[in-house]
Amino acid sequence: MVLEFLSGSVIQPLAHAGNHFFRNLATPEPQHYTRPRPLPHQPETRDDRQHMELDDLAKKAPVWAAMPPREKAAILRKCIDELEFIAYEGAVAACQLKGCVNGSAGEETLGWACAIGMIRELCDSLEAADGPGKLKLEGGELPAVEPFPNTEHKNGKRVKVFPRGMYEHMVFGGMRGELWLNPEAASPPSRAKTLAENKSGGVAVVLGAGNQVASVFSDIMHLLVNENHVVLCKFHQINDCVGPYLERGLEALRDAGFLFVSYGDVGKAQKALNHPAVTKWH
């Protein structure tokens, strides 16, 4: 009876009023779509320059590997300031690259926001590594999930890693990310402690060919912080027009000699991968 009353006496009159209101609104004029002019490719990096930069990165690799975590975080926080300043221009350039309609830079801007969020979380971990080596996990440790049927694999404890903080809970409501740890993982788990203990290093090449610039950022940051490698990022010609924005955002790393961005065809990438100083590629 209550549902019948609501549907008959309340909802229907409101629906009729809404139809009358929206019917009298002016219909916007259709907009003619014109594909944006393609952005020019970046000038190709000279072979001798790329070779020299890889030699310099090899000299900088042990410096980065031995650098205290808090000093690394200080450099990365400079990158955050610059990325926040340049993000919208980079998003607009990516829209031009993909032929998006003017004013539709929201999705691309979100990619830059995700990259900034990732770097901020890495800074939190690095700064915690110089302290007690622990970073508070929202929700703490969770009990292990039972093994999947017909498998011998045993799951360790779980930790919630996403969303974190008020902003992520508001934007990504209903979503949840967990890490399922191996049974032999440290307890309590601490990514900060792991970062502090990682003293190995090397030179990595990132082949930046993703259609989302955030994926290139995340590859570079993972290799720098989690793998402790200095990086040469070789952009693919399909998306090299966004390379200067990445360079601008990460100029603190570039100016310190821990990152170099290279441009050119597939031959340029092959020469980078075959350089004797390169120890890893992604």
Side-chain angles (χ1 to χ4, degrees), residues 16 26 30 44 53-54 61 78 104 110-111 146 148 170 172 174 209 215 217 221 226 241 243 257 266 274 280-281:
H16 286 304
E44 183 175 345
E53 293 291 345
L54 283 166
K78 292 180 182 179
S104 61
L110 181 60
E146 291 297 319
F148 294 112
M170 292 175 61
F172 301 102
S215 64
F217 274 114
M221 286 299 127
N226 298 77
C241 61
V266 64
N274 290 320
K280 181 172 291 190
W281 59 272

Side-chain angles (χ1 to χ4, degrees), residues 41-107:
H41 290 299
Q42 292 301 304
E44 183 175 345
T45 305
R46 299 193 322 268
D47 288 342
D48 60 331
R49 170 72 187 281
Q50 179 176 271
H51 192 92
M52 179 187 70
E53 293 291 345
L54 283 166
D55 287 340
D56 290 342
L57 284 170
K59 297 174 184 176
K60 283 287 189 177
V63 178
W64 175 260
M67 182 180 293
R70 190 168 291 275
E71 291 184 23
K72 292 180 180 178
I75 296 175
L76 295 183
R77 289 205 181 275
K78 292 180 182 179
C79 295
I80 292 175
D81 294 338
E82 198 63 38
L83 285 168
E84 290 175 342
F85 184 78
I86 202 69
Y88 183 72
E89 290 183 34
V92 171
C95 285
Q96 282 187 267
L97 169 67
K98 299 175 183 179
C100 301
V101 180
N102 290 338
S104 61
E107 180 181 350

Side-chain angles (χ1 to χ4, degrees), residues 36-196:
R37 180 181 299 177
L39 293 171
H41 290 299
Q42 292 301 304
E44 183 175 345
T45 305
R46 299 193 322 268
D47 288 342
D48 60 331
R49 170 72 187 281
Q50 179 176 271
H51 192 92
M52 179 187 70
E53 293 291 345
L54 283 166
D55 287 340
D56 290 342
L57 284 170
K59 297 174 184 176
K60 283 287 189 177
V63 178
W64 175 260
M67 182 180 293
R70 190 168 291 275
E71 291 184 23
K72 292 180 180 178
I75 296 175
L76 295 183
R77 289 205 181 275
K78 292 180 182 179
C79 295
I80 292 175
D81 294 338
E82 198 63 38
L83 285 168
E84 290 175 342
F85 184 78
I86 202 69
Y88 183 72
E89 290 183 34
V92 171
C95 285
Q96 282 187 267
L97 169 67
K98 299 175 183 179
C100 301
V101 180
N102 290 338
S104 61
E107 180 181 350
E108 295 297 331
T109 305
L110 181 60
W112 284 76
C114 291
I116 293 170
M118 176 190 183
I119 298 173
R120 184 173 287 115
E121 290 201 17
L122 289 173
C123 288
D124 291 343
S125 294
L126 288 166
E127 288 163 354
D130 264 353
K134 296 181 180 179
L135 190 66
K136 183 178 179 181
L137 294 167
E138 293 185 16
E141 294 182 70
L142 304 170
V145 175
E146 291 297 319
F148 294 112
N150 302 319
T151 66
E152 297 180 358
H153 176 73
K154 293 182 180 180
N155 298 315
K157 293 183 178 181
R158 296 175 292 140
V159 290
K160 175 195 168 190
V161 294
F162 178 84
R164 293 179 64 242
M166 182 182 68
Y167 170 76
E168 288 187 358
H169 278 89
M170 292 175 61
V171 176
F172 301 102
M175 299 183 184
R176 181 182 180 88
E178 295 180 352
L179 289 180
W180 293 11
L181 307 178
N182 291 323
E184 61 271 16
S187 184
S190 174
R191 60 182 180 177
K193 183 174 183 293
T194 303
L195 293 177

